[in-house]
């Protein structure tokens, strides 16, 4: 429905408001990235949706071959084509790679005759998807840009016709031919290990399929252009694979510093910048097991694997003891848990609460199939008063968690109220008490950050030391609780700059850079702070002290260039990530220093890098003023050119002209 441009159920659901218009589709359910439009559904992430679809497809196939009820067979048969079609439209290379692996892990749980039926249904629906893929893709792309009910009806007609045709054929096969197939293969089914024959054959067929897709066979040319491009890019030398490899290496480096119990919940997104190989941005390690290792260490990971292993052991031992028709509900639990957990080796599916809940509920479902005899201690406990310990602990634990959750929810509501008030321009007394109450219940760093912004703003407006002292006390406390919350570095930097404590600001930045070695903004702030220290020294008649401070900026630039040179050694297909090197933000203080040293040509070169036609931050007017001053010093800046530069800031013409005159009158070293 999202792919075809209307998921509102004829106006019943209005998903979101964009530019005053109500959207008929779920936000980012079709996400556009460098690969084009990708179906992501409510996950807003194509790969996790693909993992979910893998489980749905295989579960549907299992229900089909195991069900006797006509309704179950017919209804599930209709799901196959839309599910497979959705999987293809995710453009998920990881999904395509993992699919045959999970398939091979599911087939052995079916007897050989039902494996045959399973594969027949899969091939039949797969052929149908290939036949309708081109028109469905093209119509969907058209509807994304320009919705038309007529075009949508045409697209829906194709999908429905394909689903009904494929479903009807599957229904006929399953309802009338399956008995004959199972009867003819009954003797073969009874032989040991026959359930492994088809999975081994599937490995061979899968290899052939990969050859057709990845080899120079011309098969891929039959696919739509966007899907063809994604398939052709399946190789180990492309950016998503190389970037994941980097994430995994960096995760191991992080874990080595916290090997036993890990660095705590949310450790990856908080600490990864300290260990990252290059300036990428990723709040997820793209591997559930490595992210678990980082957060709870080897003890936590082994505990998790022990739970999964124990469930799998009991499931495997019990599955074959059940009557055949009673097995399949439990096999569906296995399929969902296996599909999501296996795909989680290459992605962060388990970070979604919904998918994580499904996995653990399905692990419980698998364990419910247990046919093994209880241990002696279990029987003994079941007959004693000790049997009340576990349910009592659950009740107490649930009550505690409910109380904490209610408190945290209340705190979050108060924070949201305060944030809306602060950014909505309301008087301080209308929301400040609510913010303090929220922080009193839960010292969440975002709540504290809002208070720090308010305190810094109040100090800037009033120079009242009480606000600065309160901010310093709060920062000191939070640095103990959240030493790697980077936003606090910038809040302290704002405070030190407002207090004129620039040496303390330099010390803060130098201590912070090792924790965020690829954050170019820290280097830019450090260069700006050294420039201000030098300018203050120059204005105080201390040119040697000014040069000493400005030489620190030259050393800083050398450090940045050395790290930037390393980025040139990355594999060609790997993306660098965030900008790093001589950025416009670093060029501004370099240009200002060159100006005060009398090197106007160098100053012009640096400052021209900083000029931004969009003029979207506080440093734009400053860069423009220094650029104009540099041109004036060189005799290049006639009044017309200066006016042209300053007219970009029409609200402060007189003030800007005064600032320009002040810059031109400043002392310059050597003059």
């Amino acid at each position: 429905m999202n792919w075809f441009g209307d998921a509102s159920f004829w106006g019943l659901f209005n998903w979101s408001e964009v530019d005053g218009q109500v959207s008929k589709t779920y936000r980012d359910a079709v996400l556009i990235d460098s690969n084009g439009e990708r179906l992501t559904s409510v996950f807003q992430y194509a790969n996790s949706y693909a993992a979910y679809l893998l489980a749905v497809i295989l579960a549907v196939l299992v229900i089909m071959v195991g069900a006797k009820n006509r309704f179950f067979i017919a209804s599930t048969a209709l799901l196959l084509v839309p599910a497979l079609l959705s999987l293809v439209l995710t453009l998920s290379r990881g999904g395509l790679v993992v699919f045959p692996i999970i398939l091979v892990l599911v087939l052995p749980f079916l007897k050989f005759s039902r494996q045959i039926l399973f594969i027949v249904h899969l091939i039949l629906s797969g052929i149908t998807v290939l036949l309708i893929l081109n028109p469905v893709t093209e119509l969907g792309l058209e509807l994304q840009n320009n919705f038309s009910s007529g075009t949508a009806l045409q697209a829906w007609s194709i999908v429905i016709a394909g689903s009904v045709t494929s479903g009807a054929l599957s229904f006929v096969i399953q309802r009338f031919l399956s008995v004959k197939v199972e009867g003819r293969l009954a003797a073969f089914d009874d032989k040991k290990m026959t359930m492994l024959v088809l999975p081994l054959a599937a490995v061979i067929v899968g290899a052939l399929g990969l050859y057709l897709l990845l080899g120079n066979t011309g098969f891929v040319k039959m696919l739509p252009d966007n899907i063809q491009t994604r398939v052709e890019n399946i190789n180990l030398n492309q950016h998503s694979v190389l970037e994941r490899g980097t994430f995994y290496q960096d995760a191991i480096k992080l874990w080595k510093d916290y090997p036993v119990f890990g660095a705590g919940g949310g450790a990856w997104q908080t600490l990864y910048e300290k260990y990252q190989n290059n300036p990428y941005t990723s709040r997820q390690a793209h591997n559930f097991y490595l992210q678990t290792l980082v957060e709870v260490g080897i003890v936590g990971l082994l505990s998790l694997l022990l739970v999964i292993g124990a469930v799998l052991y009991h499931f495997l031992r019990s599955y074959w003891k059940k009557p055949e028709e009673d097995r399949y509900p439990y096999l569906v639990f296995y399929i969902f848990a296996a599909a999501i957990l296996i795909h989680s080796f290459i992605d962060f599916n388990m970070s979604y609460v919904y998918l994580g809940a499904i996995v653990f509920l399905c692990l419980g479902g698998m364990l419910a199939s247990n046919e093994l005899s209880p241990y002696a201690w279990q029987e003994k406990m079941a007959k004693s008063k000790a049997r009340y310990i576990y349910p009592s602990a659950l009740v107490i634990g649930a009550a505690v968690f409910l109380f904490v959750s209610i408190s945290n929810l209340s705190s979050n509501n108060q924070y949201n109220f305060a944030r809306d008030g602060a950014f909505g321009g309301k008087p301080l007394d209308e929301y400040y008490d609510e913010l303090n109450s929220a922080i009193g219940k839960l010292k969440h760093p975002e709540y504290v950050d809002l208070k720090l912004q308010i305190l810094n703003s109040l100090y800037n407006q009033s120079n009242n030391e009480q606000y600065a002292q309160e901010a310093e006390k709060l920062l000191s406390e939070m640095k103990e609780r959240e030493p790697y919350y980077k936003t606090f570095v910038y809040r302290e930097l704002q405070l030190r700059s407002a207090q004129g404590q620039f040496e303390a600001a330099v010390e803060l930045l130098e201590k912070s850079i090792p924790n965020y070695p690829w954050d170019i903004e820290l280097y830019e702030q450090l260069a700006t702070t050294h420039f201000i220290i030098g300018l203050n020294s120059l204005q105080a008649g201390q040119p040697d002290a000014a040069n000493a401070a400005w030489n620190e900026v030259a050393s800083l630039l050398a450090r940045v260039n050395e790290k930037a040179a390393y980025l040139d050694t990355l594999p060609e297909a790997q993306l660098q990530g965030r900008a790093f090197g001589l950025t416009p933000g670093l060029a501004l203080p370099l240009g200002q220093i060159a100006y005060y040293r009398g090197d106007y040509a160098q100053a012009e070169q640096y400052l021209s890098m900083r000029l931004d036609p969009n003029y979207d931050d506080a440093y734009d007017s400053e860069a423009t003023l220094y650029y104009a001053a540099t041109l004036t010093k060189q005799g290049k800046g006639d009044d017309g050119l200066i006016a042209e530069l300053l007219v970009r800031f029409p609200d402060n013409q007189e003030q800007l002209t005064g600032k320009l005159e002040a810059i031109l009158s400043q002392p310059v070293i050597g003059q």
Side-chain angles (χ1 to χ4, degrees):
M1 296 180 78
N2 285 292
W3 183 255
F4 290 153
D6 188 352
S8 68
F9 285 89
W10 301 276
L12 182 62
F13 295 106
N14 295 322
W15 295 111
S16 58
E17 189 170 314
V18 180
D19 298 329
Q21 293 185 342
V22 175
S23 175
K24 292 184 176 181
T25 57
Y26 193 84
R27 181 178 178 180
D28 293 332
V30 178
L31 190 64
I32 301 175
D33 62 12
S34 59
N35 303 293
E37 288 83 350
R38 305 179 67 183
L39 190 59
T40 65
S41 188
V42 295
F43 300 103
Q44 300 174 318
Y45 183 59
N47 294 337
S48 290
Y49 185 36
Y52 182 70
L53 287 168
L54 291 177
V56 170
I57 292 165
L58 295 176
V60 161
L61 287 165
V62 164
I63 293 171
M64 279 178 61
V65 300
K68 297 299 181 183
N69 184 286
R70 297 179 184 182
F71 173 77
F72 279 123
I73 297 172
S75 58
T76 51
L78 289 174
L79 287 175
L80 266 181
V81 167
L84 274 170
L85 191 58
S86 296
L87 177 63
V88 175
L89 293 175
T90 64
L91 304 184
S92 173
R93 290 173 294 209
L96 294 176
V97 170
V98 170
F99 195 1
I101 297 173
I102 302 172
L103 181 63
V104 168
L105 293 176
V106 170
L107 284 176
F109 290 93
L110 304 173
K111 63 183 182 180
F112 182 78
S113 58
R114 292 194 175 179
Q115 290 179 6
I116 295 291
L117 294 168
F118 183 103
I119 296 298
V120 167
H121 294 309
L122 181 59
I123 291 174
L124 183 61
S125 56
I127 291 173
T128 305
V129 167
L130 286 176
L131 291 175
I132 67 174
L133 183 57
N134 273 296
V136 167
T137 300
E138 292 169 3
L139 290 171
L141 294 175
E142 180 182 339
L143 288 164
Q144 292 300 311
N145 298 318
N146 184 24
F147 180 79
S148 162
S149 56
T151 305
L153 180 61
Q154 180 186 354
W156 274 113
S157 298
I158 294 172
V159 173
I160 292 171
S163 300
V164 170
T165 303
S166 175
L169 290 172
S170 287
F171 178 80
V172 170
I173 291 170
Q174 191 60 37
R175 189 76 182 91
F176 301 105
L177 300 181
S178 62
V179 176
K180 294 181 179 180
V181 171
E182 292 184 29
R184 289 185 174 246
L185 295 174
F188 190 72
D189 282 339
D190 292 337
K191 294 180 180 180
K192 289 185 178 181
M193 310 306 287
T194 54
M195 77 285 288
L196 298 178
V197 173
L198 202 54
L200 292 174
V203 172
I204 299 172
V205 173
L208 177 61
L210 287 175
Y211 172 71
L212 288 173
L213 287 173
L214 307 181
N216 189 22
T217 63
F219 177 77
V220 176
K221 303 298 181 185
M222 299 167 56
L223 302 174
D225 291 342
N226 62 332
I227 298 171
Q228 178 182 323
T229 301
R230 290 291 287 177
V231 171
E232 288 176 341
N233 287 336
I234 296 178
N235 59 73
L236 295 179
N237 189 33
Q238 46 97 13
H239 72 88
S240 64
V241 175
L242 294 171
E243 286 164 8
R244 277 173 169 76
T246 300
F247 299 160
Y248 302 162
Q249 292 173 14
D250 293 346
I252 294 298
K253 287 190 289 186
L254 198 167
W255 166 69
K256 286 181 178 178
D257 281 352
Y258 306 89
V260 181
F261 295 108
W268 169 263
Q269 67 183 51
T270 303
L271 293 171
Y272 80 91
E273 287 187 75
K274 180 177 180 179
Y275 299 88
Q276 64 183 167
N277 178 69
N278 52 283
Y280 58 78
T281 300
S282 179
R283 292 171 63 84
Q284 303 285 344
H286 288 262
N287 183 306
F288 166 63
Y289 304 96
L290 283 178
Q291 195 154 324
T292 300
L293 182 66
V294 163
E295 294 185 348
V296 292
I298 193 66
V299 172
L301 179 61
L302 289 178
S303 299
L304 172 68
L305 296 178
L306 181 63
V307 169
I308 295 173
V311 171
L312 189 59
Y313 169 79
H314 281 82
F315 175 75
L316 292 174
R317 291 288 305 275
S318 302
Y319 182 82
W320 306 107
K321 294 184 177 182
K322 288 184 176 297
E324 185 176 7
E325 303 308 322
D326 293 341
R327 298 172 183 170
Y328 296 116
Y330 300 105
L331 184 55
V332 170
F333 292 137
Y334 165 79
I335 288 170
F336 269 88
I340 296 171
L341 286 173
I342 290 172
H343 192 275
S344 294
F345 276 101
I346 59 172
D347 242 310
F348 52 86
N349 312 309
M350 295 293 285
S351 293
Y352 288 92
V353 173
Y354 175 69
L355 293 179
I358 283 180
V359 166
F360 284 100
L361 285 171
C362 287
L363 290 175
M366 290 168 62
L367 205 57
S369 69
N370 186 28
E371 296 284 346
L372 302 184
S373 301
Y375 294 106
W377 63 268
Q378 289 177 306
E379 291 184 323
K380 184 178 180 181
M381 180 175 286
K383 296 175 182 178
S384 69
K385 292 184 179 180
R387 67 182 183 275
Y388 297 113
I389 295 176
Y390 180 63
S392 299
L394 283 180
V395 170
I396 294 170
V400 170
F401 277 109
L402 180 62
F403 174 79
V404 171
S405 298
I406 292 173
S407 175
N408 288 351
L409 180 60
S410 171
S411 175
N412 184 251
N413 289 335
Q414 290 177 310
Y415 162 72
N416 288 331
F417 176 82
R419 182 190 59 190
D420 293 343
F423 293 114
K426 293 183 178 180
L428 183 66
D429 58 5
E430 289 189 15
Y431 60 84
Y432 197 61
D433 288 342
E434 291 288 320
L435 179 59
N436 284 329
S437 177
I439 294 172
K441 295 175 183 175
L442 179 66
K443 282 188 168 57
H444 192 290
E446 288 187 24
Y447 304 176
V448 174
D449 178 54
L450 177 59
K451 184 172 182 178
L452 287 171
Q453 291 181 66
I454 294 170
L455 291 172
N456 282 348
S457 177
L458 291 171
Y459 179 71
N460 280 327
Q461 295 170 26
S462 65
N463 284 327
N464 187 332
E465 284 298 322
Q466 179 183 347
Y467 296 127
Q469 291 170 5
E470 188 175 354
E472 286 179 346
K473 180 180 178 182
L474 198 55
L475 279 166
S476 177
E477 180 182 351
M478 292 308 295
K479 282 162 71 174
E480 292 293 323
R481 294 171 62 95
E482 297 283 350
Y484 294 101
Y485 192 70
K486 186 167 62 173
T487 306
F488 290 153
V489 175
Y490 291 107
R491 296 290 170 250
E492 185 174 355
L493 179 63
Q494 291 170 355
L495 180 62
R496 299 301 174 216
S497 298
Q499 292 174 313
Q501 298 179 8
F502 297 110
E503 296 292 346
V506 167
E507 182 181 357
L508 168 68
L509 289 166
E510 288 288 8
K511 286 182 177 179
S512 301
I513 283 176
N515 291 330
Y516 315 100
W518 292 104
D519 185 350
I520 192 62
E521 189 176 350
L522 291 174
Y523 297 89
E524 293 168 354
Q525 292 290 346
L526 183 56
T528 298
T529 306
H530 279 304
F531 161 69
I532 293 172
I533 292 172
L535 181 60
N536 290 340
S537 297
L538 181 63
Q539 292 172 342
Q542 301 172 350
D544 291 341
N547 267 324
W550 292 341
N551 286 340
E552 292 295 328
V553 180
S555 299
L556 181 66
L557 178 61
R559 287 160 57 187
V560 169
N561 287 335
E562 182 180 357
K563 290 183 70 65
Y566 166 75
L567 297 176
D568 294 332
T569 67
L570 294 175
E572 185 177 350
Q574 183 170 352
L575 301 179
Q576 169 182 310
R578 303 186 305 276
F580 193 88
L582 181 51
T583 59
L586 196 55
L588 175 58
L590 287 167
Q592 291 170 314
I593 290 169
Y595 172 84
Y596 285 111
R597 281 177 163 170
D599 189 348
Y600 301 121
Q602 183 72 71
E604 180 184 353
Q605 180 181 345
Y606 280 131
L607 291 168
S608 64
M609 292 177 59
R610 179 59 185 80
L611 293 181
D612 184 352
N614 297 317
Y615 292 95
D616 59 358
D617 68 37
Y619 291 105
D620 290 323
S621 61
E622 186 175 357
T624 301
L625 289 170
Y626 272 94
Y627 184 70
T630 299
L631 295 180
T632 301
K633 289 286 189 177
Q634 296 179 89
K636 297 181 180 180
D638 57 39
D639 292 340
L641 177 59
I642 301 301
E644 181 183 342
L645 288 170
L646 297 184
V647 79
R648 302 187 185 196
F649 309 95
D651 296 336
N652 300 294
Q653 285 296 291
E654 186 176 339
Q655 184 180 5
L656 288 168
T657 302
K659 286 184 177 181
L660 176 59
E661 292 174 356
I663 292 172
L664 290 169
S665 65
Q666 292 280 353
V668 177
I669 291 178
Q671 296 182 16

